[in-house]
Amino acid sequence: MSKLTHLDDKGEARMVDVTEKAVTEREARAEATIRMAPETLNMIVDGEHPKGDVLAVARIAGIMAAKRTHELIPLCHSLNLTSVKVELTPGDDGASVHILTRCKLSGQTGVEMEALTAASVAALTLYDMCKAVDRGMEIGAVRLLEKKGGRSGHWVANSP
């Protein structure tokens, strides 16, 4: 196992110094799923939710969250993201929404946390907007799917 980079020689938390790292193209993809009552999903898909287009709001929330990850996660670097995509797709099961995110940049550190934050906040936004009609929603399966670039190269998750 690799050494934890956010700990110094004394075991104290620190921000990783990326000054000497090469600028490379980096990309990360993450996902999350929110499960809900079929009636809730139907309301969303049919555009009948009283709060309007909740998928559009969740998409914007995910994008905004990716851009502010450094303000939410201690020791994360502030990154100049060049692309953030958030896709929300109703599940084939008729009772879920699948969230897929992709973040890209050219920089000295990766974008995994930004992709994961975007997926998480998009799911939380769906919950917030729909909780009045379905408090039993469940957010899960938040995970990194893929990362490209940097010294560690290309990594792809195993199937769940």
Side-chain angles (χ1 to χ4, degrees):
M1 178 177 266
S2 298
K3 179 181 171 189
L4 295 175
T5 58
H6 283 84
L7 298 177
D8 65 15
D9 294 337
K10 297 176 188 172
E12 296 175 352
R14 68 176 175 107
M15 186 175 197
V16 175
D17 184 352
V18 297
T19 305
E20 301 300 321
K21 290 177 80 174
V23 172
T24 62
E25 290 185 24
R26 296 162 187 264
E27 179 177 338
R29 293 185 316 113
E31 69 178 348
T33 300
I34 182 166
R35 301 194 186 293
M36 60 194 65
E39 299 80 21
T40 305
L41 182 61
N42 289 338
M43 184 183 297
I44 292 169
V45 170
D46 295 341
E48 296 175 0
H49 195 287
K51 292 187 177 181
D53 188 348
V54 298
L55 296 177
V57 175
R59 183 178 310 106
I60 296 299
I63 292 168
M64 290 174 63
K67 293 166 46 174
R68 300 187 79 156
T69 298
H70 70 282
E71 295 176 8
L72 301 170
I73 308 295
L75 309 178
C76 275
H77 291 86
S78 174
L79 301 179
N80 187 22
L81 297 171
T82 57
S83 176
V84 178
K85 293 183 180 176
V86 179
E87 298 174 9
L88 296 101
T89 308
D92 293 335
D93 62 1
S96 65
V97 173
H98 181 253
I99 301 160
L100 180 65
T101 64
R102 181 184 316 128
C103 295
K104 294 171 69 174
L105 60 65
S106 289
Q108 295 166 291
T109 189
V111 291
E112 296 93 332
M113 292 308 301
E114 287 71 15
L116 287 161
T117 300
S120 299
V121 170
L124 288 167
T125 300
L126 281 176
Y127 185 93
D128 181 53
M129 295 194 72
C130 297
K131 69 184 179 222
V133 296
D134 186 358
R135 292 207 185 269
M137 291 175 288
E138 180 181 309
I139 296 169
V142 179
R143 69 185 190 127
L144 183 67
L145 295 173
E146 180 179 22
K147 62 109 11 220
K148 297 179 186 176
R151 188 175 18 193
S152 61
H154 191 183
W155 177 87
V156 179
N158 296 327
S159 297

